[in-house]
Amino acid sequence: MQTQVAQLPILAEQKAIAIIEKKEAQHEVEKQKIRKQHTDELNAIQAKYNELSKTYRNLESTSNSRIERLEFEKADLLARIKAMLEMLERRLREAITALIEFSRSVFKEFTMSHREKITEYLADAPNVQDAAHTLKVFTRPHLDNRQFKKGSKELDRLTSNLPSVMEEVNRRQSRGFRL
């Protein structure tokens, strides 16, 4: 019995070593499982990151080309608007000059040159009456009362017959081109 009792610490130690080795083996298996999960998650995150990076680069490329296209369209529209404003300014200036010249002249009605310049401005206006009013407003500071009444009266007569005046101007210009 003494030998058995003496062997108890050795058996306990062997049992403890067996349990420790079993626990270490389980611990190693758990570590491997956790490492594998961690690696799998890391790979999944890396794949998602790569996919998102690719999507971002595609979107960035698309938006850059869209921005370039929109900037080109903007520049084109601004150039068109500038050209239209310059044309409008030129026509308005010529119409104002023609109306002032007529109002100060001895003529009783517009000459063909006056009609052409004023009609060219009025023809592009969406509202002829407003365009005629604009002409009157801009010519008023340059004319005395008598001249202003004369010019306004003739301008009103022209606007009331604008379609026939435009037809006459166009016919005359067409004949001039054929010569």
Side-chain angles (χ1 to χ4, degrees), residues 39-55 57:
T39 303
D40 290 347
E41 286 177 10
L42 185 63
N43 289 339
I45 290 171
Q46 186 66 40
K48 186 70 174 173
Y49 173 77
N50 291 339
E51 179 185 330
L52 289 173
S53 292
K54 182 180 176 184
T55 303
R57 284 189 302 276

Side-chain angles (χ1 to χ4, degrees), residues 1 25-26 35 48 58 83 101 104 124 133 147 155 164:
M1 181 132 109
Q26 287 176 347
R35 279 189 186 127
K48 186 70 174 173
N58 288 340
E101 284 175 2
R104 290 179 178 169
D124 289 336
H133 179 71
Q147 292 169 339
L155 183 60
S164 62

Side-chain angles (χ1 to χ4, degrees), residues 27-38:
H27 179 69
E28 200 55 44
V29 167
E30 274 299 309
K31 278 181 12 182
Q32 292 296 338
K33 193 195 281 184
I34 289 172
R35 279 189 186 127
K36 184 176 182 327
Q37 285 177 344
H38 177 71

Side-chain angles (χ1 to χ4, degrees), residues 5-178:
V5 171
Q7 285 187 343
L8 272 179
I10 295 172
L11 285 174
E13 187 180 329
Q14 287 175 351
K15 185 84 169 165
I17 289 173
I19 290 173
I20 288 171
E21 287 175 355
K22 183 179 175 188
K23 291 289 181 184
E24 282 180 351
Q26 287 176 347
H27 179 69
E28 200 55 44
V29 167
E30 274 299 309
K31 278 181 12 182
Q32 292 296 338
K33 193 195 281 184
I34 289 172
R35 279 189 186 127
K36 184 176 182 327
Q37 285 177 344
H38 177 71
T39 303
D40 290 347
E41 286 177 10
L42 185 63
N43 289 339
I45 290 171
Q46 186 66 40
K48 186 70 174 173
Y49 173 77
N50 291 339
E51 179 185 330
L52 289 173
S53 292
K54 182 180 176 184
T55 303
Y56 173 77
R57 284 189 302 276
N58 288 340
L59 288 173
E60 185 178 40
S61 172
T62 302
S63 63
N64 284 343
S65 64
R66 186 175 296 159
I67 287 170
E68 287 172 5
R69 183 178 48 84
L70 289 173
E71 285 175 345
F72 175 76
E73 288 177 10
K74 175 187 164 192
D76 182 53
L77 284 174
L78 287 175
R80 287 181 184 189
I81 290 171
K82 182 181 178 189
M84 289 186 326
L85 288 174
E86 287 172 352
M87 181 182 68
L88 176 64
E89 187 258 341
R90 180 185 54 80
R91 287 185 177 172
L92 178 60
R93 185 180 309 262
E94 288 175 354
I96 290 169
T97 303
L99 187 56
I100 291 171
E101 284 175 2
F102 167 76
S103 298
R104 290 179 178 169
S105 73
V106 293
F107 297 117
K108 297 218 183 275
E109 59 183 44
F110 287 138
T111 65
M112 195 56 179
S113 172
H114 294 134
R115 270 194 222 125
E116 285 175 359
K117 289 176 182 172
I118 293 173
T119 303
E120 190 175 274
Y121 170 71
L122 294 175
D124 289 336
N127 184 326
V128 175
Q129 299 305 324
D130 287 346
H133 179 71
T134 301
L135 280 174
K136 289 176 186 178
V137 167
F138 283 116
T139 58
R140 182 65 182 120
H142 303 282
L143 304 172
D144 62 27
N145 288 338
R146 183 190 60 75
Q147 292 169 339
F148 181 73
K149 282 182 183 178
K150 175 184 174 185
S152 293
K153 185 177 177 183
E154 185 64 13
L155 183 60
D156 290 340
R157 192 177 70 74
L158 183 131
T159 55
S160 66
N161 298 322
L162 188 63
S164 62
V165 172
M166 285 177 58
E167 190 176 306
E168 178 187 342
V169 167
N170 288 338
R171 252 195 326 246
R172 186 172 172 112
Q173 287 176 346
S174 294
R175 273 188 264 141
F177 286 128
R178 280 188 238 151

